[in-house]
Amino acid sequence: MTLPSLRALVALWLLALACLPLTAQAHKLRESGVSVAVDDSPLTVTPSRDWNRLDGNIGKHTERWTIDGAQLNDVTFYAGIEPGKPLVRERSKKREPLPKFSTATLLVEVPELLETTYRTYKNSGSFKVTTIEPGQFLGREAVHFTYEFVDQDELTRQGEARAAIIAGRLYMISFEAPRLHYFEAVIAQFRKLADSATLP
Amino acid sequence: MSFRARGLALGALAFLLGSDLLGVGLSGVDLSRMAHAYAQPSPLPPYAGAYQPQGVDEIGLWQMMDEDERAIAQSPLVVRDEALNAYVRQVLCDTVGQHRCNSVRIYILQVPVFNATMAPNRTMRVFTGLLLRVRNEAELGAVLAHEFGHFESRHSLNKFKAARSGTDLLAWTAVLGSLAPRYQVARTYQNLQISVLGNLFRFGRDQEREADRLGVAYLNASQLRPQAAAQVWQNLMQEIDASALHRGLKKPRFDTIAFTASHPPEAERAGYLAELADPDGLRRDDGAQRYRATLAPWLGTFLDDQIKLNDFGASEYLIQSLAQEGWTAQLWHYRGELYRMRGNPRDLVNAAQFYGEAVALDAQMADAHRGLGLSLLKTGQPGAGQEALRQYLALKPDAPDARLIGMMIPNQGPGQ
């Protein structure tokens, strides 16, 4: 066998290997009733049903959970975003900068921060914050808000989130699902999950 | 470098690279003759009427486009406002002529980028980012006529035939994507085909020039001012430069804007579009007043979409250029929003000033009072800030954030 054809064979073999589903990348099960720390932070939650923690972070201090897949129901934790940092990882700091959480950010501005992040990060053409209410999260004063947006897949999704600013860091938990069926189906589970969140 | 100098430099480069476009070799042809040959608008092709696709390629392409149109008709991104749709159609008809525009279906998509596309089955997609950027009917007509030029020359079909190998690649991506362990890969693949946004064909530069020449020919034959075509590119270049400057980039990325990605360098085209325009057309109306009046109910929405893109330079440029016709409370308000959202301490001081200008012009503008209040609170003026927020709640008691804002004002309490 000549050297070039051997090389081609190795390349093909590597490609085939890369395409195989790897068990090491599997998502983790979050079992009902077992308290877990989110992204190794002090924020802990106790789910009241089984959830899947998705592999792969969209940013520092974030974690995503789902039941049927992230496109159908997606819980995202933001466990202590530091001032000066964006909510999710920037694809390009220079060319596609994302809005940053800052020490001056007020609770009432957090929905706006999520909106501007989504409009840039997800190229969401339409995003509407529907309600903003005061509430409690992690035992502190917080903002509860709901929103609706159209993603690149042109499915209208509904979202609900709770956020609190504690010791200068932003803690937030959000739930998003297609408006049709999936939002209503899981929202009660999400609220239970959010209620169970604690921070020492 | 000035635009003119850059235009000359780019024009010279295009001349060196693109000699085959003009069908002549370089030898023995001087630049002035070349420029003259360039400066001929295309004669309008005879209108084909209810054209039907011919041959397997074209029939197949039309079937794909018809499928896309079914998807677009249900998309939540489509702006269904009757008056706005009728107006954009009218501008297209005024530009390319009534009999040509009759069979075109126009879909206005709420996407805040500068773009318009036209599919071979006569579906035209106009993005709201384009409506925000053009200043009058003639400029809008210029872009629509350019797209119509692609359609009438059937560029998509030529590109489709040439891109057969590209389609094979997509098919393989689908196979590999389905084998991939992460669903994210599969999703990336899905994003390659965006049915509603249209198959963004990358036309060749020759085709773009042909569409430009046709576009100006439509404008020359219309009642609108053909010089507007060059103006569109001048404005766009300035915006892209402003965006790059604020992001600290050395070279602006013209290819990040959908419409310019495949188009000849803007400076070059601004130059030749100006040459192609009928000089007598300079005295014609550009419909700026009608344009402003029709867009007025939508300006707030489009500006809101724009400033939330986190592109400070471009947004500031757009607001400034809209303000050339005079500052309004609305423009001051959105400028305030832009600065407050960037949120540097110096921005907050500016934001408070801009909101102040807005409420001075229109004391009933609730959202400007909100922005003013928040900016003042953040710059250490709680008394004045709370007073502004009180005004906001008085003007808009059922605002979505009324209870939370209420908690920020002492003695107001939630829900009062």
Side-chain angles (χ1 to χ4, degrees), chain B residues 144-220:
Chain B
L144 301 185
H146 170 92
E147 291 307 319
F148 196 86
H150 278 307
F151 157 74
E152 198 147 39
S153 308
R154 285 193 272 152
H155 286 159
S156 309
L157 177 66
N158 300 341
K159 205 70 197 167
F160 182 68
K161 281 181 175 166
R164 274 286 178 80
S165 55
T167 319
D168 292 346
L169 180 70
L170 272 187
W172 278 108
T173 319
V175 175
L176 294 177
S178 63
L179 286 173
R182 292 179 180 213
Y183 95 102
Q184 201 65 33
V185 178
R187 199 167 179 200
T188 309
Y189 165 68
Q190 280 170 6
N191 290 343
L192 287 176
Q193 292 181 317
I194 308 172
S195 55
V196 168
L197 297 189
N199 281 292
L200 297 175
F201 282 108
R202 271 183 177 248
F203 295 117
R205 290 193 169 176
D206 301 359
Q207 292 179 326
E208 294 297 347
R209 289 195 184 92
E210 194 183 339
D212 272 341
R213 286 205 295 276
L214 257 177
V216 172
Y218 295 130
L219 272 179
N220 281 344

Side-chain angles (χ1 to χ4, degrees), chain A residues 7-20:
Chain A
R7 264 192 203 155
L9 199 69
V10 171
L12 262 177
W13 182 75
L14 284 175
L15 184 72
L17 197 71
C19 293
L20 284 176

